[in-house]
């Protein structure tokens, strides 16, 4: 296929150059209706903020330039079908779950799945079978789930409709996806992959294998995170025949706007073209920069970076060096503190921080100059080192609470807000996540135990980052009304 073409971008350019008079939406009519924005972002950009029309195709049932562009993307990534998304990988993840699960169907997923997976569970009515990811105590991060646990769960629940994976994870660790795919397919269960952090994998053989190459059935990939398209633009890929493309399209049409941004669609088209032509070179350069940053940061006293050595630990079969996860415990700072010093003093914004780590994301857009600035800044921060002693590790996570009803039932049930300390036996209406390692202690529909309340108390006293509930101090929690299981379940 002619990967040097960009059908959507070519069509919008042609449309805009032809100076077609717009008696159609969007109402800014080429920028005249919002001159302040037009003057800042420029005439060209606002002129291609167009809508579906015959020469530009229709995303709900593409037959023209969107169809052509999606075919080119499928061809490049080695899929049978590609679907362009203008509501991020979130939209792709929800569609993946809804494509394989109806109300009451079971799906296996890691406990630390992104919140869009919870959205997919609520929208579909599916019942989650959670597997806890492995934890790396040294870095305080979660890894992948193991093939062994996937097999055991499938043996207990052979009626499972899908296995959902995060691959690779935010920290750049990658589970043994080929083995998980082989096991799942031996039960004739499709594998759905959240590849939000893996759109670049295909373009370098030293990176972990891409999920499509490993045989995954459906993969949602954040093109915007790593391969150059604009924020909010992602792709969903389908291969093999366990899931029908018509079903995926039908599901996408439920949540997708009927007015997709042609700026976003053009950026997907051009990102695909660029990766087809220059992808290997661009990714190689990003890897080179990230290896150099790693080599410089790992010799700073008090800093630790995981590399090859982490491979082979439970839940980690490979790793992606372009996610530079720097453990700063030994400097006496939390990851949050390093993030804020880098931002305020050195004009550097990191991708993510947690109690122990900061993550520097290196991609095809980075420069050596920025890499030098980052390393120089971290060296200066390390000079302020205050470390004196080993920080206390968090106690092991409590076991996954019992699920009394599906996330969907919990979402649609009436709720009330009560004091956390009085909530034993109640059913949670909201999730509570702890960072690190980014794993929910509670999900909607699960029963609250004294063990969970005590654990939250410990985390609060350690100033851990707890997220999810409406009450940010986590003194109150939203629970379902008239649903206390204390007597029935004999929970202490
Ligand atoms: C692991 C993971 N999955 C899914 C998403 C959602 O992707 P998007 O922001 O493209 O909707 C994110 C976003 O950060 C993520 O980190």
């Amino acid at each position: 296929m002619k990967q040097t073409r960009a059908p959507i971008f070519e069509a919008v350019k042609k449309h805009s150059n032809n100076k077609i008079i717009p008696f159609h939406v969007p109402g800014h009519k080429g920028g005249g209706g919002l001159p302040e924005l037009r003057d800042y972002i420029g005439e060209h950009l606002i002129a291609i903020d167009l809508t579906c029309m015959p020469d530009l195709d229709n995303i709900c049932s593409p037959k023209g330039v969107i169809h052509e562009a999606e075919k080119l993307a499928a061809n490049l990534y080695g899929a049978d079908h590609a679907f362009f998304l203008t509501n991020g990988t979130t939209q792709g993840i929800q569609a993946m779950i809804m494509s394989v699960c109806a109300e009451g169907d079971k799906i296996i997923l890691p406990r630390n799945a992104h919140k869009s997976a919870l959205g997919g569970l609520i929208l579909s009515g599916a019942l989650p079978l959670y597997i806890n990811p492995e934890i790396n105590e040294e870095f305080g991060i979660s890894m992948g789930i193991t093939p062994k646990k996937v097999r055991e769960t499938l043996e207990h629940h052979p009626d499972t409709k899908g296995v959902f994976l995060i691959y690779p994870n935010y920290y750049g660790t990658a589970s043994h996806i080929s083995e998980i795919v082989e096991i799942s397919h031996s039960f004739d269960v499709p594998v759905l992959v959240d590849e939000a952090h893996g759109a670049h994998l295909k373009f370098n053989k030293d990176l972990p294998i891409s999920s499509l190459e490993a045989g995954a059935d459906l993969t949602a990939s954040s093109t915007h995170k790593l391969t150059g398209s604009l924020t909010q633009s992602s792709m969903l890929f389908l291969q093999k025949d366990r899931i029908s493309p018509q079903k995926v399209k039908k599901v996408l049409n439920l949540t997708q706007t009927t007015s997709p941004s042609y700026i976003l669609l053009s950026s997907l088209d051009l990102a695909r073209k660029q990766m087809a032509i220059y992808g290997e070179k661009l990714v190689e350069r990003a890897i080179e920069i990230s290896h150099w940053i790693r080599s410089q940061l790992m010799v700073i006293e008090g800093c630790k970076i995981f590399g090859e050595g982490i491979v082979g630990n439970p839940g980690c079969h490979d790793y992606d060096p372009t996610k530079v996860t720097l453990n700063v415990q030994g400097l006496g700072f939390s990851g949050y503190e390093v993030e804020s010093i880098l931002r305020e003093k050195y004009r550097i914004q990191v991708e993510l921080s947690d109690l122990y780590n900061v993550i520097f994301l290196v991609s095809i857009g980075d420069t050596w100059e920025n890499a030098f600035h980052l390393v120089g800044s971290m060296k200066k921060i390390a000079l302020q080192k205050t470390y004196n002693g080993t920080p206390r590790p968090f106690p092991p996570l409590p076991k996954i609470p019992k699920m009394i009803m599906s996330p969907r039932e919990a979402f649609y049930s009436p709720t009330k807000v009560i004091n956390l300390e009085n909530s034993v036996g109640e059913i949670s209406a909201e999730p509570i996540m702890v960072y690190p390692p980014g794993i929910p202690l509670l999900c909607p529909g699960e029963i609250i135990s004294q063990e969970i309340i005590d654990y939250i108390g410990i985390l609060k006293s350690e100033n851990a980052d707890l997220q999810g509930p409406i009450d940010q101090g986590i003194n109150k929690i939203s629970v379902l009304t008239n649903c206390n299981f204390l007597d029935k379940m004999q929970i202490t």
Side-chain angles (χ1 to χ4, degrees), residues 104-357:
D105 285 341
K106 296 176 188 166
I107 181 165
I108 293 174
L109 67 171
R111 182 71 176 168
N112 58 336
H114 184 257
K115 62 182 177 188
S116 51
L118 179 59
L121 296 176
I122 291 171
L123 289 166
S124 63
L127 298 175
L129 299 170
Y130 291 118
I131 298 181
N132 259 334
E134 303 298 315
I135 303 289
N136 181 287
E137 301 286 350
E138 190 187 352
F139 285 85
I141 61 173
S142 53
M143 319 283 270
I145 56 176
T146 61
K148 182 168 174 277
K149 288 195 182 154
V150 173
R151 181 187 289 285
E152 284 167 3
T153 314
L154 282 167
E155 279 166 357
H156 277 99
H157 302 274
D159 53 344
T160 298
K161 294 290 194 262
V163 171
F164 179 95
L165 299 176
I166 311 164
Y167 178 88
N169 72 4
Y170 223 136
Y171 300 98
T173 73
S175 47
H176 201 327
I177 190 164
S178 313
E179 211 176 309
I180 294 176
V181 167
E182 203 182 311
I183 292 167
S184 307
H185 286 174
S186 73
F187 286 80
D188 201 19
V189 172
V191 177
L192 324 176
V193 181
D194 169 356
E195 209 176 57
H197 299 284
H200 61 315
L201 297 183
K202 192 199 153 45
F203 299 94
N204 191 289
K205 61 178 177 9
D206 292 333
L207 293 176
I209 184 175
S210 77
S211 61
L212 286 166
E213 286 166 315
D217 299 80
L218 262 177
T219 288
S221 177
S222 290
T223 320
H224 69 95
K225 289 196 199 298
L226 294 167
T227 53
S229 69
L230 297 183
T231 296
Q232 229 175 290
S233 62
S234 292
M235 295 188 197
L236 179 62
F237 298 107
L238 171 66
Q239 66 176 349
K240 311 205 182 86
D241 51 12
R242 282 186 187 80
I243 304 163
S244 91
Q246 291 79 12
K247 178 72 191 274
V248 176
K249 191 66 199 166
K250 202 161 96 178
V251 165
L252 280 171
N253 282 348
L254 289 180
T255 55
Q256 173 174 264
T257 173
T258 50
S259 312
S261 158
Y262 274 85
I263 300 176
L264 296 185
L265 293 175
S266 300
S267 80
L268 280 173
D269 203 15
L270 286 180
R272 185 271 313 148
K273 173 181 162 183
Q274 175 177 266
M275 290 310 284
I277 304 172
Y278 307 111
E280 287 176 10
K281 266 203 183 111
L282 289 168
V283 174
E284 193 180 321
R285 186 165 156 282
I287 294 174
E288 215 182 302
I289 293 178
S290 69
H291 276 310
W292 180 79
I293 294 174
R294 287 167 163 272
S295 71
Q296 297 296 304
L297 296 185
M298 69 172 53
V299 294
I300 298 176
E301 205 190 324
C303 289
K304 269 192 307 192
I305 293 187
F306 68 72
E308 277 296 322
I310 202 149
V311 173
N313 284 343
C316 182
H317 179 67
D318 206 344
Y319 84 109
D320 171 6
T322 65
K323 303 287 184 323
V324 181
T325 300
L326 181 71
N327 184 291
V328 292
Q329 267 174 293
L331 293 178
F333 293 119
S334 69
Y336 309 120
E337 287 167 329
V338 170
E339 169 172 0
S340 105
I341 300 170
L342 282 169
R343 177 63 199 252
E344 277 155 33
K345 235 176 141 177
Y346 299 100
R347 289 181 301 104
I348 292 171
Q349 178 58 55
V350 306
E351 167 65 15
L352 177 87
S353 64
D354 64 33
L355 198 61
Y356 309 129
N357 307 289

Side-chain angles (χ1 to χ4, degrees), residues 411-482:
F411 182 82
Y412 284 111
S413 298
T415 59
K416 62 182 179 187
V417 175
I418 60 169
N419 285 333
L420 179 69
E421 61 196 29
N422 300 331
S423 65
V424 178
E426 304 281 354
I427 316 248
S428 183
E430 52 189 3
I432 298 186
M433 307 268 296
V434 56
Y435 287 92
I439 297 181
L441 297 173
L442 268 176
C443 285
E446 291 176 349
I447 198 153
I448 305 170
S449 64
Q450 189 62 50
E451 188 193 7
I452 297 276
I453 297 174
D454 292 345
Y455 193 80
I456 291 172
I458 296 171
L459 296 179
K460 277 164 65 178
S461 68
E462 299 278 351
N463 289 327
D465 185 14
L466 285 159
Q467 294 182 11
I470 295 173
D471 174 27
Q472 293 192 348
I474 327 259
N475 296 314
K476 294 187 180 291
I477 184 161
S478 173
V479 298
L480 305 197
T481 48
N482 306 324

